[in-house]
Structure formats: structure tokens, C-alpha cells
Amino acid sequence: MTRSPRASDEPPMPPRRQAQPRVQISTRIPEELSERVRGFVREHDTSVQAVVELALDEFLRRRDA
């Protein structure tokens, strides 16, 4: 899959992380948000797992959690 060019202000996806023990969480999100995530995943040759993990990590770091 070819990655689409990203906007100049869009940060690159970080490299894949080392395998770590995982736990499963379950949540529901709006359908529109799910569609946006799936589109991003396709365009950036990544996974929903990687996007959710990065988003949660960035959200919590910004809040010193």
C-alpha cells in the first residue's frame, strides 16, 4: 500500500513499538469517528491499534497522567 503525501504540518507516525504485554479494553465511539480512523489507517499504512495507542498516550501525557 502506498502512503499518501501528508500535509507539511502533520507529524509522521512514530515507528512501531516493541511488543509489550497487552490488555483488552472495550469502548464505543461514534460511527463518524470510526470512519475517520479507518480512513486514516488506510492512508497511513498503520493499524487502528497503533492509532488508538498513540492517541491515548498523547492525550494522557498532555494532562500529566
Side-chain angles (χ1 to χ4, degrees), residues 2-62:
T2 305
R3 291 182 183 204
S4 63
R6 55 186 172 84
S8 61
D9 62 338
E10 181 182 320
M13 288 295 293
R16 295 188 191 270
R17 297 180 180 193
Q18 293 282 56
Q20 298 176 1
R22 304 271 193 233
V23 296
Q24 184 172 348
I25 62 171
S26 180
T27 187
R28 294 183 186 272
I29 61 173
E31 186 174 342
E32 186 269 337
L33 181 57
S34 176
E35 290 169 0
R36 288 171 51 204
V37 170
R38 287 193 307 260
F40 182 90
V41 164
R42 281 190 304 271
E43 291 175 13
H44 293 83
D45 189 30
T46 189
S47 67
V48 172
Q49 174 75 34
V51 171
V52 170
E53 193 173 305
L54 179 61
L56 284 172
D57 187 53
E58 287 182 359
F59 176 88
L60 293 170
R61 283 179 190 271
R62 289 181 183 159

